[in-house]
Each structure stands twice: as C-alpha cells, then as structure tokens.
Amino acid sequence: MPWLLAFMLLPSMGAAQQVSVMGTASHRALIAVDGSQPRFLSVGEEWAGVRLLRVQGDEILVEVAGTRQTLRLGQTPLAATVAPQSVDARTITLTANANGHFTTRGQINGRSVEFLVDTGATALTLSLAEARRIELDISRSSAVRIQTANGEITGHHLQLSTVQIGGHTSHQVDAVVVPSELPYVLLGNSYLSRFDMKRENVLMTLTPRR
C-alpha cells in the first residue's frame, strides 16, 4: 500500500507541539511527536497528547489539548491556531477506538489510569492490582458481593477522593475493587450518572449535570 506523507505543527498546552504524520495506511497513521520515534496509531488511539480521530481520503483529523485539527496530506507544515474553549470547558469528549469502545486517560486521586466507559457497570470498577498500583487504601473499605458472568465474587467498596478526566474533576465517587484482572478501569454508573451522555457516531460527550 502506498505511503502518503505530510507534516504539521499543532499547539499544546503552553507551548507549540510538533506533530509529524509520516504516512497513512487504511485507518492508521504513523505519527511522530516533537521529533520522537514514529508510532502507529489507530483511529481512537491517543499518544503523547495526540488523539487520532479520523483517516479519510487525503485528510487526517487529530485532537490536541482538546482542539481538533485537520490536515490535508501534501500540505506544507501547518501552524494551527487553538480554537476558543467551549462554554462549559468541563464537557468531556471521547472517541471510540477501532473496537467501538470509548477509552481515555485520566486520574484517580492524582494517579494516572486508563478508563473504559462501561454503562453496564453499577460502579466505577478497578482491579485489585490497579488499586495497589495507584496506592488506594482498601483497609477501611466494606466487603460487597458482586455477581459476574463467572459467578459471585467478593469485592471492596470505597469512595475515591477525585476522578479527573479532561478539564472535569468529580469528588467522592463510589468505586468497587475486584480481585479479577481488568485491562482498564471501568467507568460505571456511579461516575456516568453525574453527566448527560450523548453519542453521535464515534463521538461521545459527557456534560456535567448542574
């Protein structure tokens, strides 16, 4: 498959961020950020603050620092201007990955984690291994029985001081720690119920309820 080459300059928070698109193939793009070793991204994936939203024809759509930028392949380097913040800067916008799931990086109590939206989960749910990694204190948590597809298990119920995604921080969020292995922290309804959810194609917006 032929490679299509292009380069662009995009802004980051507080300083210019150079993003180089080395080529595209199907729904993937080979991207270098600030001169780093190039890395393949699939639509919906994020790396070094750059999220690939679309590869369509001779155009690539990315998101940097909450701002979407479109580059037409073959253009000269583009110095893009950051668009004004939306009226409610706390609104969270997520993009579905290649598998149709909505994932994003955020923080729990100031520690970085990878989230996955799961409307079928009652509470924000994380594995015991992940809880230990981010140093959650479960010694004072209460035991809960959880029904899973593989039977009933015992988990730990606790409240998280803060959950931060994008420009929004939620406080005192109910969570459950389970002994099962989980590749993501599941954003269940104890978190999602604080937002009005809207989905359009590959985009999901979470707007805080007042």
Side-chain angles (χ1 to χ4, degrees):
M1 181 175 294
W3 289 94
L4 300 173
L5 304 180
F7 302 91
M8 60 182 169
L9 293 175
L10 296 175
S12 64
M13 296 300 289
Q17 185 175 31
Q18 180 173 315
V19 181
S20 301
V21 182
M22 312 304 294
T24 64
S26 186
H27 298 293
R28 305 174 72 203
L30 184 63
I31 293 177
V33 179
D34 291 334
S36 63
Q37 184 72 23
R39 173 172 172 173
F40 268 113
L41 292 184
S42 297
V43 171
E45 288 187 328
E46 180 178 348
W47 174 54
V50 178
R51 181 181 291 272
L52 180 63
L53 301 182
R54 185 177 67 232
V55 179
Q56 183 174 1
D58 62 350
E59 288 188 346
I60 293 175
L61 179 65
V62 297
E63 183 177 83
V64 179
T67 301
R68 294 183 186 181
Q69 308 289 343
T70 300
L71 176 73
R72 183 178 294 276
L73 293 169
Q75 279 183 332
T76 56
L78 172 65
T81 303
V82 178
Q85 289 282 347
S86 60
V87 174
D88 190 344
R90 300 175 304 158
T91 296
I92 300 167
T93 302
L94 306 176
T95 305
N97 61 22
N99 296 319
H101 301 303
F102 292 91
T103 62
T104 186
R105 180 171 290 276
Q107 294 184 349
I108 292 178
N109 296 354
R111 300 294 299 271
S112 181
V113 299
E114 291 283 347
F115 291 110
L116 181 144
V117 173
D118 186 353
T119 57
T122 302
L124 186 151
T125 306
L126 61 161
S127 68
L128 180 59
E130 184 72 350
R132 288 171 174 167
R133 185 188 70 81
I134 63 175
E135 300 179 343
L136 287 184
D137 182 7
I138 63 173
S139 62
R140 298 181 181 179
S141 63
S142 56
V144 293
R145 301 296 293 175
I146 303 169
Q147 189 65 42
T148 72
N150 297 320
E152 196 175 65
I153 61 174
T154 299
H156 300 270
H157 172 262
L158 70 163
Q159 281 197 329
L160 306 175
S161 296
T162 59
V163 175
Q164 180 179 346
I165 299 176
H168 184 267
T169 300
S170 295
H171 299 272
Q172 301 303 312
V173 178
D174 284 332
V176 173
V177 176
V178 297
S180 311
E181 293 185 6
L182 297 173
Y184 295 94
V185 175
L186 305 181
L187 280 177
N189 289 307
S190 63
Y191 178 84
L192 297 174
S193 63
R194 301 181 181 212
F195 298 83
D196 291 321
M197 299 175 59
K198 182 179 180 180
R199 178 173 179 176
E200 293 183 1
N201 298 321
V202 298
L203 296 180
M204 175 183 288
T205 56
L206 304 176
T207 304
R209 293 177 174 173
R210 300 187 183 279

